[in-house]
Amino acid sequence: MTKTAQVIAAILEQLQQTLQQTQDAANEAHQAATHEQSVPETQYDTLGLEASYLAEGQSRRVAELQEAITRFHQLTEKEFGEDDPITLGAQVIVEDEHGNRRHLFLGPDAGGVEVTLDDELITVVSPAAPLGAELVQKYVGDAVHIGQHLYEIVEIG
């Protein structure tokens, strides 16, 4: 299994765990919203309404996670060379002026998810985020801003 396939598998595992937790939370919120004790006793009793808002938000999060999982399953594995531009599926190592490195993976979704592989923390960024958009079509040697720091792209894999 290639390193890219391992990264994608680790991301999918993390997303599946988060999906299960979110589904459980959505079910609990739904049960709370429909429980007989959630029926308002006065016009100011909003417990049931609040629980229904929570259930709705959790249900939306479940749908977002399911979409992210689908997109990662559809992601085609590609080998990247030093002269290739960054596109979806690229593993990118950036380095700041102090030699501190960050390992990034440009995924189709799930920005902010972090996985550890071979003792390396890899952060998923997506093109929808400013950093992900800045990375797309860049090459080794190009500079990118992460927050207030300037990083150089030192490796694409």
Side-chain angles (χ1 to χ4, degrees):
M1 182 182 279
T2 67
K3 187 169 181 183
T4 300
Q6 291 174 341
V7 170
I8 292 170
I11 292 167
L12 282 167
E13 182 179 330
Q14 178 70 34
L15 290 173
Q16 289 287 359
Q17 289 174 1
T18 303
L19 175 62
Q20 185 60 52
Q21 293 167 350
T22 306
Q23 285 174 325
D24 292 345
N27 289 338
E28 287 177 26
H30 178 72
Q31 289 173 356
T34 58
H35 194 273
E36 64 185 35
Q37 291 182 348
S38 294
V39 176
E41 294 176 9
T42 70
Q43 66 183 9
Y44 302 108
D45 188 359
T46 61
L47 182 63
L49 181 61
E50 291 168 5
S52 69
Y53 287 151
L54 180 60
E56 180 183 349
Q58 293 288 7
S59 295
R60 272 193 240 137
R61 180 72 178 129
V62 165
E64 290 169 1
L65 287 164
Q66 289 170 332
E67 179 66 26
I69 289 168
T70 298
R71 287 181 180 186
F72 272 95
H73 277 296
Q74 294 171 345
L75 185 61
T76 56
E77 190 178 332
K78 179 183 173 191
E79 293 291 325
F80 289 87
E82 291 290 319
D83 296 328
D84 291 328
I86 296 171
T87 59
L88 285 179
Q91 294 179 65
V92 181
I93 299 176
V94 296
E95 184 176 272
D96 69 10
E97 63 273 5
H98 304 294
N100 299 317
R101 290 184 170 206
R102 292 189 61 188
H103 297 255
L104 308 171
F105 182 83
L106 188 65
D109 210 329
V113 168
E114 295 180 332
V115 296
T116 302
L117 189 63
D118 299 330
D119 296 325
E120 293 176 2
L121 180 66
I122 302 168
T123 304
V124 178
V125 294
S126 75
L131 173 57
E134 191 171 346
L135 284 172
V136 173
Q137 296 299 313
K138 293 282 174 65
Y139 294 87
V140 170
D142 288 346
V144 294
H145 286 88
I146 300 177
Q148 296 178 343
H149 300 282
L150 187 64
Y151 286 80
E152 180 184 348
I153 299 169
V154 294
E155 188 178 322
I156 301 172

